[in-house]
Amino acid sequence: LDEWEPEELQEVSKSLVSSTQHLKVIQKNPVTDLTYADIDKPCKLLLSTLVDYSLLGLGLIPSIAKAKSTVGMLTDDAVIIPHSAKVFAVGVQLDLDTQPYKFNSIWNEYAWSLQPLPINLATTSHTVLTEPFQVFPEFKFNDNHTLKAITDKQCHTKVIGTGVIHAFVYYYSLHLNECFSVSNAQDSRNSPMPQQALCYVLPTPVTAQQNLDVLASHNRTRIWFELKPPSPSALPSTSTSSSTPTAPPPGATTDTKDYRYFLERWRVDLLNDTQRTECYKTALNEVLQDLTDSTGGQAGGFDVLDVDCSLGLFALMLSDNSAVRKVYATEKRSHVMNSAMMVAKENGLDSKIKFINKEVRKVRFGPENDIERIPDVIVFENFDPSGVGEGILVFVQHLRNAIGADKFKLVKEGEKPEEEDDDDD
């Protein structure tokens, strides 16, 4: 046990020792720190529970390999639990819930993470596009040959549906001994956890009944996949973008040979957060309606500033509102802003949106500047779990100074700007 706080470890050890006199607790990392000197005599049983949703991510193979290779730690006939494991995978299309707006121009162009991620297929909108296939030869934990790292293992599977493969979802069958096994497959009755592992690949269009070659690799702690695309002539046209592969971002590491500049997965999670989207949409429509009612409808419409627009979902909603004349959308990350511009063009709403590749504090107001007119509405979506960690207070204060505090009013849920604050914010 190496991750426990000393007080926790002492308490657990005390409770365990009280029930048996045959217990020794060692607070060391089993892969890097454990030595034969920690073991009183060679053990006849090795039990490892270092198993997560991805099978290998907690160090299952290195921990077993270290114990086996350390002289004096195990007897020659020691039993190892788990006994063996198999990994299976399917290619999936992941769905975006952004109706009525389309995001195919980016969704079908980028891989969305460099690392495997947990996913629960039972609660995630998806379409399985391939038959299941076994990824590697069986891991036999008493056979060192099967525990070596593998690069570009060629797997074959058949496509069962037409669409775009965004990722491979893999799961395992873990055999504790010859009689008992557990699995985290979606339909498994003896699953230790509800999550499988998700590995993004470059989105690849496929058609039903074609054969698909997949390259699978593992470095003993992580599994990843790469697609060998079929002939382009056999594929449907699903992407609206003509972008070509580029190098990964500076400092990023990737095991794929052909990798587009990735966009962070959390941006997709926000796109799929329908409750958040509907709340913002309702609030924005109400504010614009109130402005229309109070002014009798401003000639030409209202101007709106979307601060840190990310992939532009709120900018799309605003530009789709007939009361809006212009949307100014700021985004300091060039590749994110370019993606938002692609989406706006895909939806035919780019004429009402001006994208500004700046952090909002560097934006200039006034004729012939970034924003020609003082915006009537400003939308902030800079909220992390703490509420203030993404700089919302700094941005609000800056804009109050830039626009003029007398022109700056905050609208909170359930109250009008002119009303007094009450206890229920």
Side-chain angles (χ1 to χ4, degrees):
L1 304 171
D2 72 313
E3 296 180 351
W4 294 69
E5 294 295 329
E7 296 78 10
E8 294 178 310
L9 186 66
Q10 187 177 15
E11 197 65 33
V12 171
S13 300
K14 188 185 300 181
S15 63
L16 291 173
V17 171
S18 65
S19 61
T20 175
Q21 299 302 313
H22 307 288
L23 177 70
K24 180 179 182 180
V25 177
I26 305 167
Q27 191 179 14
K28 287 188 176 182
N29 185 305
V31 177
T32 59
D33 302 331
L34 197 65
T35 70
Y36 73 92
D38 298 307
I39 308 298
D40 298 331
K41 60 181 180 180
C43 296
K44 294 185 177 182
L45 173 66
L46 171 62
L47 169 65
S48 179
T49 58
L50 296 175
V51 180
D52 66 352
Y53 63 89
S54 68
L55 181 66
L56 306 183
L58 295 180
L60 176 64
I61 289 180
S63 66
I64 291 176
K66 173 65 182 296
K68 291 173 59 179
S69 64
T70 303
V71 176
M73 195 167 288
L74 299 177
T75 62
D76 292 339
D77 60 347
V79 174
I80 297 175
I81 298 177
H83 173 269
S84 59
K86 293 180 180 179
V87 176
F88 303 90
V90 291
V92 298
Q93 175 176 294
L94 300 171
D95 302 324
L96 278 180
D97 190 5
T98 58
Q99 295 298 328
Y101 306 110
K102 296 175 291 185
F103 279 75
N104 290 334
S105 54
I106 59 171
W107 187 229
N108 292 337
E109 288 296 326
Y110 295 100
W112 288 82
S113 177
L114 295 171
Q115 300 294 332
L117 301 170
I119 185 174
N120 187 344
L121 286 181
T123 59
T124 302
S125 180
H126 71 284
T127 304
V128 175
L129 293 181
T130 73
E131 293 179 346
F133 59 93
Q134 185 170 334
V135 180
F136 304 111
E138 185 175 23
F139 293 111
K140 296 181 179 179
F141 297 112
N142 61 353
D143 182 354
N144 288 335
H145 180 73
T146 69
L147 305 183
K148 294 179 179 179
I150 294 177
T151 301
D152 291 347
K153 162 73 167 60
Q154 188 156 320
C155 308
H156 306 282
T157 186
K158 177 161 283 190
V159 178
I160 59 176
T162 298
V164 177
I165 293 179
H166 295 118
F168 284 90
V169 172
Y170 62 96
Y171 50 93
Y172 58 79
S173 176
L174 187 68
H175 304 280
L176 304 182
N177 55 25
E178 294 181 355
C179 300
F180 298 97
S181 64
V182 294
S183 172
N184 68 335
Q186 182 183 355
D187 56 353
S188 175
R189 293 184 177 181
N190 59 345
S191 173
M193 61 184 68
Q195 294 175 319
Q196 299 81 41
L198 175 76
C199 178
Y200 282 97
V201 294
L202 285 174
T204 302
V206 293
T207 53
Q209 300 306 311
Q210 70 183 51
N211 296 318
L212 194 65
D213 292 330
V214 183
L215 298 179
S217 306
H218 80 82
N219 60 5
R220 307 209 310 167
T221 60
R222 183 165 69 92
I223 296 172
W224 64 94
F225 297 85
E226 185 178 351
L227 266 173
K228 295 183 68 176
S231 169
S233 61
L235 303 177
S237 177
T238 59
S239 174
T240 61
S241 170
S242 60
S243 62
T244 56
T246 60
T253 57
T254 173
D255 301 290
T256 59
K257 298 180 179 65
D258 181 16
Y259 199 86
R260 287 184 175 87
Y261 200 2
F262 76 97
L263 290 165
E264 300 87 347
R265 167 68 200 187
W266 59 264
R267 299 184 189 277
V268 180
D269 295 334
L270 289 183
L271 291 178
N272 272 333
D273 190 342
T274 54
Q275 181 180 11
R276 173 180 181 269
T277 300
E278 286 302 314
C279 284
Y280 265 94
K281 183 177 181 180
T282 300
L284 291 170
N285 287 341
E286 288 184 0
V287 168
L288 290 166
Q289 186 60 54
D290 287 346
L291 282 174
T292 301
D293 294 341
S294 63
T295 63
Q298 183 166 292
F302 301 102
D303 297 318
V304 183
L305 170 59
D306 183 4
V307 177
D308 281 1
C309 69
S310 188
L311 296 177
L313 178 58
F314 294 165
L316 295 180
M317 293 191 306
L318 289 162
S319 62
D320 219 6
N321 190 306
S322 59
V324 173
R325 170 172 49 191
K326 193 77 172 179
V327 178
Y328 297 95
T330 69
E331 175 54 60
K332 67 179 180 180
R333 300 164 188 82
S334 298
H335 68 289
V336 178
M337 190 197 73
N338 291 338
S339 298
M341 293 174 67
M342 290 165 55
V343 169
K345 185 173 183 180
E346 176 185 5
N347 287 274
L349 296 171
D350 52 319
S351 62
K352 288 177 67 174
I353 306 174
K354 180 180 180 180
F355 289 97
I356 303 168
N357 189 197
K358 292 182 179 180
E359 195 232 62
V360 71
R361 287 178 293 178
K362 297 182 179 180
V363 170
R364 295 294 175 259
F365 296 88
E368 300 183 5
N369 280 315
D370 300 313
I371 298 179
E372 296 87 353
R373 297 174 294 271
I374 298 298
D376 302 288
V377 179
I378 302 175
V379 183
F380 297 99
E381 46 181 314
N382 315 76
F383 297 100
D384 70 346
S386 73
V388 297
E390 291 190 13
I392 178 68
L393 300 182
V394 175
F395 296 153
V396 168
Q397 185 60 51
H398 170 79
L399 289 171
R400 280 173 59 89
N401 294 334
I403 294 173
D406 60 319
K407 299 184 179 72
F408 200 95
K409 297 178 180 180
L410 292 178
V411 180
K412 292 186 287 185
E413 179 183 358
E415 63 179 11
K416 305 296 183 184
E418 63 274 16
E419 291 181 358
E420 295 293 329
D421 287 344
D422 54 34
D423 293 334
D424 185 10
D425 288 339

